[in-house]
Amino acid sequence: MPAEESSSPAAEPAYKLAVCVLASGSRGNAIYISDGCTAILIDAGLSGVQIERRLRSRGLPPETLQAIVVSHEHADHIHGVGVLSRRYRLPVYLSRQTAEAAKRIGRLHCAKTFECGTRFAIGNLDIRPFSLSHDATDPAGFTLRANGVKIGLATDLGVATAMVTEHLKGCRALILEANHDPRMLIDGPYPWPLKQRIQSRLGHLSNDDSRRLLCNVAHAGLEHVFLAHLSETNNTPATALNAIAPALSGTRTRFEVAAQDRCTEIVCLR
């Protein structure tokens, strides 16, 4: 006789979305996101070997990845994309303009294009790319939704436009650029043209810019903020936290600085 079907309800997932920033900074960026069924990388700017090591250091088998999403064509975001795509037969999602500009990305197992402003899905993840102001061909930020939870990612942008602010509202977790301290940048060793580029609308958000953006999107349900893409020359983790975290003092929001040389712990949103 066939076994009777169980009438007990399916178990609730242990978490609704999980985030781990594998690396963040000018020498390489990669972010792992999963709902427990669908696991992806946003960018893969380290070598394939290094990304594999960092995933495994957090108990995340790279074999469970299902896709890579690319924000823009700069080397610190695409260095390991080609090798990981081929090794694990992963589709790579990127805008058409980024695909044309990313000459060094190498051969891909499969390329799928998206347009900023148009949502797409990878497995259970609903992904909404939006345009950023940065010196790349078609740079994108993202919000991702699954199981009723929304997270947002905005790094590599020179100014937080009204559109960026609108997209990042209602997130339970944010990965937000805090690239430089303005005074450290001006007094630092960079040549003046590079300082001007970083400060421009096509450059990077300062700690002050990041604090203002965060204040505009903060809400009672915001649980976790990763401060990302810190300059190793023009910022420090303490400087960034001291400038930004007090803006949300008295709230439940936790702050964490994402680093270049190590990955964060896995943050599980339940």
Side-chain angles (χ1 to χ4, degrees):
M1 295 177 61
E4 293 184 358
E5 293 185 2
S6 171
S7 61
S8 60
E12 286 292 320
Y15 56 84
K16 296 181 177 180
L17 274 177
V19 185
C20 180
V21 182
L22 302 177
S24 183
S26 60
R27 292 186 285 113
N29 298 271
I31 299 164
Y32 171 92
I33 297 173
S34 175
D35 73 332
C37 296
T38 304
I40 67 170
L41 292 180
I42 304 287
D43 294 329
L46 302 176
S47 71
V49 169
Q50 188 62 241
I51 288 176
E52 289 170 336
R53 286 175 178 167
R54 295 196 186 195
L55 285 168
R56 291 192 174 107
S57 76
R58 291 292 180 257
L60 304 170
E63 295 82 4
T64 62
L65 291 172
Q66 284 152 278
I68 303 172
V69 179
V70 173
S71 64
H72 63 290
E73 74 272 15
H74 289 170
D76 58 324
H77 293 260
I78 67 169
H79 181 66
V81 170
V83 67
L84 290 173
S85 174
R86 296 188 299 273
R87 184 172 297 161
Y88 298 104
R89 302 179 64 81
L90 300 175
V92 175
Y93 292 75
L94 69 178
S95 79
R96 192 174 308 278
Q97 297 97 313
T98 297
E100 293 171 354
K103 304 300 183 185
R104 68 180 78 187
I105 202 168
R107 182 173 57 85
L108 302 177
H109 166 66
C110 175
K112 296 179 178 289
T113 57
F114 63 76
E115 293 184 8
C116 286
T118 302
R119 62 176 290 273
F120 62 95
I122 302 175
N124 297 330
L125 299 177
D126 178 89
I127 303 174
R128 304 192 182 209
F130 55 91
S131 294
L132 299 179
S133 177
H134 189 54
D135 59 351
T137 304
D138 188 28
F142 303 97
T143 62
L144 300 95
R145 298 173 188 258
N147 302 315
V149 172
K150 176 184 176 184
I151 63 176
L153 188 160
T155 66
D156 294 77
L157 67 164
V159 61
T161 63
M163 181 179 65
V164 170
T165 301
E166 194 62 32
H167 275 281
L168 295 181
K169 289 180 178 178
C171 290
R172 290 266 296 276
L174 288 170
I175 303 161
L176 189 61
E177 179 167 64
N179 177 256
H180 61 278
D181 171 79
R183 178 49 55 190
M184 288 178 69
L185 176 65
I186 293 301
D187 293 343
Y190 285 3
W192 181 244
L194 180 54
K195 293 178 182 180
Q196 288 180 305
R197 170 191 167 268
I198 291 169
Q199 288 183 309
S200 77
R201 292 178 64 87
L202 299 179
H204 294 278
L205 289 189
S206 70
N207 295 339
D208 297 339
D209 296 329
S210 184
R211 181 182 66 249
R212 285 189 285 268
L213 173 57
L214 185 58
C215 287
N216 287 332
V217 301
H219 63 103
L222 179 58
E223 295 182 17
H224 205 98
V225 175
F226 298 90
L227 300 181
H229 216 299
L230 271 69
S231 168
E232 295 179 287
T233 302
N234 303 306
N235 211 354
T236 68
T239 300
L241 284 170
N242 288 338
I244 299 169
L248 297 187
S249 62
T251 71
R252 62 184 290 191
T253 307
R254 291 182 53 208
F255 284 85
E256 183 172 0
V257 176
Q260 182 70 89
D261 58 354
R262 64 185 184 281
C263 47
T264 67
E265 297 297 325
I266 302 172
V267 171
C268 294
L269 303 170
R270 294 181 167 84

